[in-house]
Amino acid sequence: METELSTSLGIEHAIFGFTPFPAVAAAITRAGGLGVLGAVRYTAPDDLRRDLDWMERHTGGGPYGLDVVMPARQAGPPGATAPTEAEVEAMIPEGHRRFVRDTLARHGVPGLPDGEASGWRITGWMEHIARSQLDVAFDYPIKLLANALGSPPADVVARAHGQGVQVAALAGSARHARRHADAGIDIVVAQGYEAGGHTGEIATMVLTPEVVDAVDPLPVLAAGGIGSGEQIAAALALGAQGAWLGSLWLTTTEAELHSRALTGKLLAAGSGDTVRSRALTGKPARQLRTEWTDAWDGPESPGALPMPLQGLLVAEAVSRIQKYDVVPLLGTPVGQIVGRMNSERAVRAVMDDLTRGFERAVDRVNRIAGRS
């Protein structure tokens, strides 16, 4: 499963695995892919440094990358200095806070113990936090820097290139992809509607060849709804040079999900049990459909706030839901491929299954084409 891009990055298989869990990212790299660690949950630089130190010891010398979130637009007047977290918190209307309190009360969700802070903060959506993550990351031999929301700022791209790091950015349309190319991005990830997390409205099968044509000769990775080797073969047939997989790793044995209840919900879910909702971050993000997402998308909802206000608004609520395993409200970003995620397996087993499926697909196409 080699392409020009995988060869240039020194990986055996053109599989790029995005995950928030260092153990999963390291295992993907050890299995011949490129593990990409999501940085958004690291609000303290020392925590990211600790886990990158761990990655260095457990990747077997293989390459790995980092994914940050630097939104192109955030709340606040254009051109204003980036607000502090306290200033952003002050922008949240009381009506939205009341809606959160009432929703939690209807489900009997206990409060956090006295003195316990929310463990789920997504201040990583704020640019100054992302920049502090990069200050740490560039001390390590990362091979890839990915940005989930648009092209990174020009100075970040230049800094990465100055250290020999390739830069990737996710795109949900050919128009977005061309902007990435103009911004000097090295790799475009064509993320289809089926994907977990922030995603657009164009399906992967349609989006991938459109993006390939739009940014040629830049390499493109296909993302969204991919969870088998046959689908990776289809992505390469559409012109992609690899596949970007995220949701598939959530039910691996190395994943560090906070509860068995959530793992059980993922294993039981079908491909129709997700929804694109702004409930989590303020931008449309595919996630498990729950009574929490239903409430935010329902007629009584005040409507989601723009990023990063929504994430700050719901941070404590999400922590409480997770801490007490409130199953009706318990969810996570995940793509439609969740319907195939029906057993817990080690990352190595998943990678082996992907490569075998790829070989089956190539053999099938060769037979159709009359080749042995």
Side-chain angles (χ1 to χ4, degrees):
M1 206 184 301
E2 295 180 8
T3 65
E4 184 178 344
L5 177 61
S6 67
T7 300
S8 72
L9 288 168
I11 57 178
E12 182 180 359
H13 306 301
I15 295 174
F16 297 72
F18 164 78
T19 174
F21 307 122
V24 176
I28 292 168
T29 290
R30 291 197 307 271
L34 194 142
V36 182
L37 179 65
V40 71
R41 68 190 180 98
Y42 294 98
T43 56
D46 286 346
D47 290 341
L48 178 58
R49 189 175 302 279
R50 176 201 65 215
D51 282 355
L52 289 178
D53 284 339
W54 188 94
M55 291 274 291
E56 278 290 290
R57 297 192 303 270
H58 292 85
T59 51
Y64 61 92
L66 192 75
D67 178 278
V68 297
V69 177
M70 301 183 80
R73 292 186 297 276
Q74 299 205 54
T81 303
T84 65
E85 182 177 343
E87 289 171 335
V88 174
E89 288 267 14
M91 301 178 193
I92 298 174
E94 177 56 31
H96 283 72
R97 297 187 186 277
R98 186 183 313 113
F99 179 77
V100 170
R101 290 194 299 268
D102 291 348
T103 302
L104 295 177
R106 282 198 303 273
H107 290 271
V109 182
L112 295 175
D114 290 343
E116 181 174 328
S118 167
W120 192 90
R121 301 294 286 177
I122 59 167
T123 49
W125 307 119
M126 301 175 71
E127 183 174 327
H128 73 281
I129 298 293
R131 287 184 176 275
S132 72
Q133 294 165 350
L134 293 176
D135 289 339
V136 172
F138 285 132
D139 287 339
Y140 294 81
I142 61 172
K143 294 297 184 183
L144 180 71
L145 174 67
N147 190 50
L149 290 174
S151 303
D155 68 295
V156 172
V157 176
R159 185 178 179 187
H161 287 166
Q163 297 195 203
V165 177
Q166 294 199 50
V167 180
L170 277 65
S173 71
R175 175 170 54 87
H176 293 156
R178 282 190 286 268
R179 288 180 184 171
H180 293 335
D182 292 342
I185 299 304
D186 304 291
I187 303 165
V188 177
V189 181
Q191 179 164 281
Y193 172 84
E194 304 94 326
H198 297 117
T199 185
E201 299 181 347
I202 305 173
T204 303
M205 180 66 74
V206 175
L207 178 65
T208 301
E210 287 186 354
V211 171
V212 168
D213 290 343
V215 301
D216 183 61
L218 288 184
V220 172
L221 301 177
I226 299 176
S228 73
E230 288 86 352
Q231 289 171 306
I232 295 175
L236 299 191
L238 293 172
Q241 287 204 30
W244 176 276
L245 283 65
S247 298
L248 192 64
W249 316 110
L250 289 173
T251 52
T252 57
T253 55
E254 293 91 344
E256 301 162 10
L257 287 180
H258 55 81
S259 80
R260 295 301 302 171
L262 180 55
T263 299
K265 291 187 75 170
L266 289 170
L267 295 173
S271 56
D273 292 329
T274 68
V275 64
R276 284 174 77 245
S277 171
R278 298 177 184 269
L280 193 61
T281 70
K283 288 183 177 290
R286 186 171 297 284
Q287 54 203 281
L288 277 181
R289 182 177 180 179
T290 66
E291 293 187 26
W292 177 257
T293 62
D294 286 348
W296 277 100
D297 295 335
E300 303 300 320
S301 169
L305 296 169
M307 180 181 280
L309 299 183
Q310 183 72 12
L312 292 172
L313 168 66
V314 305
E316 182 182 326
V318 172
S319 288
R320 290 163 60 184
I321 291 166
Q322 293 178 349
K323 180 179 181 66
Y324 299 109
D325 272 347
V326 185
V327 174
L329 303 180
L330 193 60
T332 186
V334 69
Q336 292 180 330
I337 199 61
V338 71
R340 293 181 62 98
M341 295 158 49
N342 50 25
S343 66
E344 291 183 82
R345 298 178 295 163
V347 167
R348 171 70 69 173
V350 173
M351 289 287 286
D352 288 346
D353 187 56
L354 292 173
T355 56
R356 284 193 297 266
F358 179 82
E359 291 171 355
R360 287 194 300 269
V362 171
D363 288 344
R364 186 180 304 124
V365 171
N366 281 336
R367 288 196 302 272
I368 292 170
R371 303 188 186 97
S372 59

